[in-house]
């Protein structure tokens, strides 16, 4: 339909808001309450414009202007809020007339009546929408000389978010965000009139996605506690990159200043995370500047690790490797290494002559489905969804895309100015179609609150669960107890998946930990015609499997090389947290550790080389849907830290060889030749990876343990291995939790908040007791780490009792 904005004629689709028409025409109106991907409400009254439209006569023809012969424009009697006004054929929008300007100036003046003039000390200074609008549309002179309203200025909504109530302009973005995006209604307006303020009756903000309100707040009312008072917006260097905190590939912006990361903000990727990120990604950056960071190479002399430079360290490594048979050398890298680092690891293995090459954690079932897998955009429009796992903790963005599907609104088409500023299809408190979602897990997980059906099967019972579902799909009767929910509910879930135009089955880490469970799950997907979505354990699990960073034989897998290799090169892995493994590592002929911190494994090493973390890398990752995404280095002072390509370059120089993968550029030449992808020409929002290449799946060892008295290692939104170096996140989470049923906690004489040390699969873990009805009786939960991935493992709860008795005696 044709719309005229300030004399510019546009052809726009039905349902477009007038405010998006204004921006599409290249004009501008101010706004505070509108926000892409959220419902428009017309609360701030800033986007007022003069709006008119033609009318039809009783016979259906346009009423014509007598002078021009064109359809006559009938203007609305009052100025209209363009964010809540839908365009109609022939509509005319005027944003430049004097009445419009006067109204906009008036609204700016009203907004500033009680707003404090503390711009010089406000963190939002220089990036404040109210500052911009006051400059663009305000009169420049205030008529209000009385004392402004005073309210609480530094109210901690949580350990991560600080609220300055004096600066709040009541735009309601934060309130609507919680209700509409994560579905956690925790904020609202309290009191009325001039006493209105934003608050919560809950303790803190019980959600994994609280930090997004600091991005969308148009003023300095809501602030990130990790970056408050750290710098001015114009002092930051903004680096657009991809998060390496999980397998989603979420777009982020790293704000750095004077060589230090000050904050992480959400980037915009309409097909992945839109403009949202989870709290683990946003607030989990403080470890990058930890004082115990390894910043220079270390070589062991006379039993002590002594600082040196890369050349001397690599000369030592190259010389020592000549004393070891290449086939006895193991190389393992963490699964958040980039594609380019994967090429470097392969080149290093080829040069040494070893088949012992692996990445960890690597699920037994792999992460690349043979027939292709669902994309996040398909998940967001699915008519039926089955989730097996805890996606809210494992890959939080998947949680939000599932909630998009529950709203029943397809993703919006983009304009030249980006996502619609006001999507009129979105409504406040719109009903959610919970009946399309089924969530299954061995314990009660958060997403079950939003699901129409929930199944709680026995821990370790993923294979049996899918066998039971497949039996239902094939018209058979499943075994009792395997489904974890009533037969009628399971039948409805299976029928829904079979009948839906787009059906998605999300497979979390508990499924992928077992090759048999993964195969059973994929067989079920084929039986009902659903697309699988496999959640890799780390940022580049898909990519490293794609380029073949995997062992040539099962006994050469990561666990096998820890027992069978005579020399090891490990990048960002810490297997020595297991005392039994540490004892074996101490007897190796050579142990080279590429790490960012002096971990338990690094303390045993002959050589420790400083490793770049995710914010300091250039490269590419492949997310869980198979999309290749760029990783860009922020200007961070990391000493002499290098990524694995830098490691290989230094090694090649010491060995007198020019190895593939000695730089990002070199690795990309190999990838272009081997995979047929030109990563230097990657589109802005990434490109799709080619069909799977490389070796077939190689099984990895999986611990077995009885459900009763066992421990379930569970995914966690926060990076468990660096949580102690992220003080704000640690304060918010209370530390790594030992989940117990209240009856089990009482039997062990444990209370919430008690710190205990308990052996989990032989590894001593220092954990904080968190009793919860969500945990089944007889089962404990502990957070997973890269070296202790999700799955069922033995636990020695008696050790807690012994520790308690010792304390009582003391």
């Amino acid at each position: 339909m044709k719309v005229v904005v300030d004399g510019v004629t546009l052809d726009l689709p039905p349902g477009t808001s007038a405010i998006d028409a204004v921006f599409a025409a290249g004009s501008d109106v101010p706004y505070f309450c509108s926000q892409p991907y959220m419902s428009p409400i017309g609360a701030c009254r800033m986007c007022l414009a003069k709006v008119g439209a033609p009318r039809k006569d009783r016979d259906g023809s346009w009423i014509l202007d007598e002078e021009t012969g064109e359809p006559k424009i009938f203007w609305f009697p009052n100025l209209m809020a363009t964010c809540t006004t839908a365009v109609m054929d022939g509509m005319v929008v005027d944003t430049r007339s004097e009445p419009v300007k006067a109204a906009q100036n008036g609204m700016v003046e009203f907004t500033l009546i009680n707003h404090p003039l503390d711009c010089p000390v406000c963190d939002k200074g220089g990036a404040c929408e109210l500052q911009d609008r006051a400059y663009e549309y305000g009169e420049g002179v205030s008529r209000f000389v009385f004392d402004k309203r005073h309210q609480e200025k530094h109210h901690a909504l949580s350990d991560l978010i600080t609220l300055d109530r004096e600066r709040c302009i009541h735009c309601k973005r934060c309130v609507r965000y919680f209700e509409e995006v994560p579905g956690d209604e925790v904020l609202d307006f309290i009191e009325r009139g001039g006493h209105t303020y934003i608050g919560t009756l809950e303790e803190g903000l019980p959600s994994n996605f609280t930090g997004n309100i600091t991005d969308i707040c148009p003023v300095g009312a809501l602030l990130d506690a990790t970056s408050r008072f750290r710098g001015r917006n114009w002092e930051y260097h903004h680096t657009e990159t991809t998060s390496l905190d999980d397998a989603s590939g979420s777009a982020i912006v790293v704000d750095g200043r004077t060589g230090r990361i000050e904050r992480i903000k959400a980037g915009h990727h309409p097909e992945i995370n839109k403009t949202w990120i989870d709290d683990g990604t946003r607030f989990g950056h403080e470890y990058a500047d930890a004082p115990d960071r390894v910043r220079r190479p270390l070589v062991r002399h006379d039993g002590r690790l002594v600082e040196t430079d890369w050349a001397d360290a690599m000369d030592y490594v190259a010389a020592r490797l000549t004393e070891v048979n290449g086939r006895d050398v193991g190389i393992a890298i963490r699964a958040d290494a980039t594609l380019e680092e994967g090429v470097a690891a392969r080149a290093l293995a080829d040069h040494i002559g070893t088949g012992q090459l692996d990445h960890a954690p690597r699920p037994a079932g792999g992460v690349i489905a043979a027939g292709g897998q669902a994309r996040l955009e398909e998940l967001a429009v699915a008519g039926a969804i089955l989730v097996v796992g805890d996606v809210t903790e494992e890959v939080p963005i998947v949680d939000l895309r599932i909630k998009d599907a529950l709203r029943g609104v397809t993703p919006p088409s983009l304009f030249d100015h980006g996502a619609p500023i006001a999507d009129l299809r979105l409504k406040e408190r719109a009903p959610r179609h919970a009946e399309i979602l089924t969530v299954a897990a061995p314990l009660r997980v958060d997403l079950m609150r939003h699901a129409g059906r929930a199944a709680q099967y026995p821990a370790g019972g993923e294979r049996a669960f899918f066998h039971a579902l497949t039996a239902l799909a094939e018209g058979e009767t499943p075994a009792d107890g395997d489904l974890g929910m009533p037969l009628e509910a399971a039948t409805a879930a299976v029928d829904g998946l079979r009948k839906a135009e787009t059906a998605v089955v999300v497979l979390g880490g508990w499924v992928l930990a077992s090759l048999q469970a993964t195969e059973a799950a994929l067989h079920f997907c084929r039986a009902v015609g659903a697309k699988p979505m496999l959640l890799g354990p780390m940022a580049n699990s898909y990519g490293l499997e794609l380029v073949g960073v995997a062992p040539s034989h099962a006994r050469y897998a990561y666990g096998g090389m820890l027992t069978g290799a005579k020399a090891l090169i490990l990048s960002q892995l810490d297997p020595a947290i297991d005392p039994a493994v540490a004892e074996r590592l101490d007897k190796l002929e050579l142990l080279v550790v590429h790490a960012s911190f002096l971990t338990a494994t690094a303390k045993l090493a002959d050589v420790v080389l400083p490793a770049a973390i995710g914010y300091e890398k250039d490269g590419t990752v492949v997310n869980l849907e198979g999309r290749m995404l760029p990783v860009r280095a922020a200007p961070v002072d990391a000493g002499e830290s290098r990524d694995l390509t830098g490691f290989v370059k230094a090694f090649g120089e010491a060995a007198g060889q020019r190895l593939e993968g000695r730089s990002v550029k070199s690795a990309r030449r190999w990838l272009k030749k081997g995979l047929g992808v030109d990563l230097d020409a990657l589109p802005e929002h990434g490109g799709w990876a080619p069909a799977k290449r490389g070796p077939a799946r190689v099984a990895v060892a999986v611990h077995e343990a009885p459900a009763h008295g066992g421990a379930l290692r569970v995914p966690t939104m926060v990076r468990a291995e660096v949580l102690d170096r992220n003080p704000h996140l640690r304060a918010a989470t209370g530390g790594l939790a030992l989940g117990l049923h209240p009856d089990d906690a009482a039997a062990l004489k444990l209370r919430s908040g008690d710190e205990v040390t308990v052996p989990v699969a032989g590894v001593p873990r220092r954990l904080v007791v968190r009793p919860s009805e969500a945990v089944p009786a007889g089962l404990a939960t502990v957070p997973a780490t890269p070296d202790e991935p999700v799955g069922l493992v033995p636990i020695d709860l008696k050790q807690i009792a012994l520790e308690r008795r010792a304390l009582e005696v003391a």
Side-chain angles (χ1 to χ4, degrees):
M1 56 181 60
K2 290 188 176 181
V3 180
V4 179
V5 180
D6 296 331
V8 177
T9 302
L10 304 169
D11 193 359
L12 297 171
T16 301
S17 66
I19 194 171
D20 283 303
V22 170
F23 282 90
S27 293
D28 184 41
V29 287
Y31 64 92
F32 290 131
C33 63
S34 288
Q35 175 68 25
Y37 304 114
M38 284 165 41
S39 64
I41 59 172
C44 70
R45 315 309 292 175
M46 281 297 302
C47 64
L48 298 174
K50 185 179 179 182
V51 179
R55 293 180 187 172
K56 289 186 176 179
D57 213 337
R58 294 180 181 179
D59 61 1
S61 61
W62 293 112
I63 299 175
L64 302 179
D65 188 300
E66 294 180 357
E67 294 183 5
T68 65
E70 297 292 326
K72 183 177 180 179
I73 302 299
F74 292 85
W75 298 97
F76 288 95
N78 298 312
L79 300 181
M80 302 292 290
T82 54
C83 67
T84 55
T85 301
V87 300
M88 60 183 72
D89 198 21
M91 177 179 278
V92 177
V93 180
D94 174 12
T95 70
R96 298 175 181 174
S97 62
E98 287 305 317
V100 173
K101 290 180 179 179
Q104 292 168 345
N105 290 343
M107 289 312 303
V108 169
E109 188 174 25
F110 280 128
T111 303
L112 289 171
I113 286 177
N114 276 306
H115 198 80
L117 300 178
D118 58 356
C119 300
V121 297
C122 178
D123 285 73
K124 204 83 170 187
C128 172
E129 294 180 42
L130 182 55
Q131 272 186 343
D132 294 341
R133 297 317 186 188
Y135 176 78
E136 295 165 352
Y137 295 94
E139 291 287 354
V141 177
S142 175
R143 291 181 289 170
F144 301 99
V145 294
F146 49 78
D147 192 32
K148 293 177 180 280
R149 176 187 60 202
H150 293 289
Q151 291 192 346
E152 189 176 4
K153 282 200 70 66
H154 307 295
H155 175 72
L157 285 177
S158 71
D159 290 297
L160 303 172
I161 308 291
T162 300
L163 168 64
D164 188 321
R165 285 180 175 153
E166 284 188 353
R167 296 175 186 166
C168 178
I169 61 172
H170 305 157
C171 68
K172 209 181 179 183
R173 285 186 188 178
C174 56
V175 175
R176 282 150 52 222
Y177 161 77
F178 275 114
E179 186 268 317
E180 296 177 18
V181 181
D184 302 315
E185 297 189 42
V186 295
L187 280 181
D188 208 343
F189 287 135
I190 300 174
E191 299 292 351
R192 301 185 67 182
H195 300 286
T196 302
Y197 66 92
I198 295 292
T200 175
L201 296 179
E202 300 286 345
E203 185 66 29
L205 296 174
S207 173
N208 278 17
F209 305 95
T210 66
N212 292 311
I213 60 177
T214 66
D215 282 350
I216 65 176
C217 181
V219 292
L222 292 164
L223 298 173
D224 174 344
T226 66
S227 64
R228 251 176 109 224
F229 305 139
R230 296 293 308 179
R232 313 300 295 182
N233 284 280
W234 57 84
E235 297 174 329
Y236 292 142
H237 185 284
H238 309 293
T239 304
E240 297 182 1
T241 184
T242 300
S243 169
L244 299 188
D245 285 291
D246 59 46
S248 66
S250 295
I252 60 173
V253 178
V254 180
D255 284 351
R257 175 177 175 267
T258 62
R260 185 182 187 276
I261 295 173
E262 299 294 358
R263 67 184 177 191
I264 305 293
K265 300 178 68 176
H268 182 214
H269 197 303
E271 296 174 339
I272 296 180
N273 60 310
K274 299 198 287 191
T275 55
W276 318 124
I277 53 175
D278 63 274
D279 287 349
T281 298
R282 182 181 298 274
F283 301 109
H285 61 82
E286 292 179 290
Y287 77 98
D289 196 47
D292 60 341
R293 180 94 185 257
V294 176
R295 296 179 181 275
R296 294 199 66 200
L298 304 169
V299 175
R300 190 171 297 279
H301 289 296
D302 299 326
R304 294 175 57 248
L305 288 170
V306 180
E307 281 193 357
T308 184
D309 57 32
W310 273 88
D312 285 346
M314 278 307 185
D315 285 342
Y316 179 87
V317 172
R320 290 289 304 277
L321 280 175
T322 61
E323 301 169 6
V324 184
N325 189 315
R327 289 174 296 181
D328 294 327
V329 178
I331 302 172
I333 65 176
R334 201 166 65 183
D336 58 355
T338 64
L339 281 180
E340 291 82 356
E341 290 181 291
V343 172
R346 283 190 53 150
L348 183 61
D350 290 344
H351 174 78
I352 293 172
T354 181
Q356 300 191 64
L357 170 68
D358 206 353
H359 66 276
R362 180 171 60 82
V367 297
I368 303 178
Q373 48 215 63
R375 299 177 180 179
L376 289 166
E377 283 284 271
E378 292 174 313
L379 180 65
V381 299
I385 302 170
L386 169 63
V387 176
V388 184
D390 186 2
V391 299
T392 312
E393 295 288 341
E394 196 162 357
V395 187
I397 290 303
V398 171
D399 172 294
L400 297 188
R401 299 320 303 260
I402 290 170
K403 289 168 182 172
D404 284 343
L406 299 185
R407 290 200 287 182
V409 178
T410 57
S413 300
L414 301 185
F415 293 97
D416 289 341
H417 59 271
I421 295 167
D423 188 343
L424 295 174
R425 301 172 303 163
L426 302 178
K427 308 294 180 184
E428 280 194 285
R429 298 192 176 277
R432 300 200 178 212
H433 305 287
E435 70 278 1
I436 72 171
L437 175 62
T438 304
V439 179
L443 69 161
R444 197 166 70 243
V445 299
D446 184 73
L447 192 59
M448 288 179 177
R449 295 188 294 119
H450 304 272
R453 289 172 292 273
Q456 190 168 321
Y457 57 80
E462 288 79 16
R463 180 188 182 189
F465 175 75
F466 278 108
H467 279 317
L469 289 181
T470 303
L472 273 178
E474 295 174 351
E476 302 173 6
T477 302
D480 292 338
D482 291 340
L483 287 170
M485 60 178 163
L487 183 62
E488 295 79 8
T491 302
V494 171
D495 288 344
L497 290 167
R498 182 188 284 117
K499 295 175 182 177
E501 183 177 345
T502 302
V504 178
V505 177
V506 181
L507 306 177
W510 294 320
V511 178
L512 302 185
S514 164
L515 180 59
Q516 293 76 20
T518 304
E519 290 174 344
L522 295 176
H523 178 69
F524 169 72
C525 291
R526 291 190 292 270
V528 296
K531 282 191 172 185
M533 175 177 281
L534 284 63
L535 305 185
M538 297 198 81
N540 201 28
S541 296
Y542 192 119
L544 294 177
E545 185 176 331
L546 182 71
V547 298
V549 181
S552 57
H553 192 279
R555 70 175 182 271
Y556 291 157
Y558 179 47
M561 71 174 70
L562 293 178
T563 59
K566 294 181 180 179
L568 280 176
I569 300 174
L570 303 178
S571 179
Q572 297 286 40
L573 292 168
D574 188 21
I577 55 174
D578 185 336
V581 174
E583 186 176 346
R584 291 194 293 269
L585 295 181
D586 201 33
K587 298 176 182 178
L588 290 172
E589 296 182 27
L590 177 65
L591 176 59
V592 180
V593 176
H594 183 227
S596 301
F597 298 96
L598 208 58
T599 60
T601 305
K603 291 176 182 177
L604 299 174
D606 298 292
V607 178
V608 180
L609 299 163
I613 61 175
Y615 309 116
E616 301 157 5
K617 295 181 181 181
D618 284 306
T620 314
V621 293
V622 184
N623 77 341
L624 58 86
E625 57 183 349
R627 189 193 299 265
M628 298 180 294
L629 296 161
V631 177
R632 301 182 183 95
V636 177
D637 180 9
E640 297 180 25
S641 300
R642 301 183 185 182
D643 68 359
L644 205 62
T645 65
F647 179 117
V648 168
K649 179 181 180 181
F651 176 83
E653 290 171 349
Q657 298 286 330
R658 286 174 59 84
L659 303 180
E660 293 279 9
R662 62 187 175 274
S663 65
V664 170
K665 186 175 181 179
S666 169
R668 287 181 175 176
R669 284 197 297 266
W670 184 94
L671 289 164
K672 187 173 183 179
K673 182 179 179 181
L675 294 181
V677 294
D678 184 0
L679 296 179
D680 291 321
L682 201 62
E684 179 185 0
H685 291 306
W688 296 106
K692 183 184 176 185
R693 305 281 182 91
R697 291 194 187 106
V698 179
V700 294
V702 179
H703 291 289
E704 297 293 340
H708 187 79
L712 188 66
R713 288 200 291 235
V714 298
T716 171
M717 173 195 68
V718 300
R719 294 283 290 270
E721 72 274 16
V722 292
L723 182 60
D724 287 340
R725 296 182 177 91
N726 287 313
H728 285 87
L729 260 184
R730 196 187 193 293
T733 60
L736 299 176
L738 171 66
L740 293 169
H741 189 275
D743 293 343
D744 293 335
L748 292 166
K749 299 182 180 180
L750 295 174
R751 294 170 296 181
S752 180
D754 286 350
E755 289 194 17
V756 298
T757 300
V758 57
V760 181
V763 178
R765 296 290 300 274
R766 190 71 181 169
L767 302 167
V768 179
V769 175
R770 292 282 181 262
S772 171
E773 295 281 355
V775 182
L779 185 70
T781 63
V782 296
T785 71
D787 284 279
E788 297 176 294
V790 297
L792 195 59
V793 292
I795 187 171
D796 186 3
L797 292 174
K798 294 179 182 178
Q799 186 65 38
I800 298 178
L802 292 173
E803 184 180 295
R804 291 278 127 184
R805 290 196 196 99
L807 288 173
E808 289 170 3
V809 170

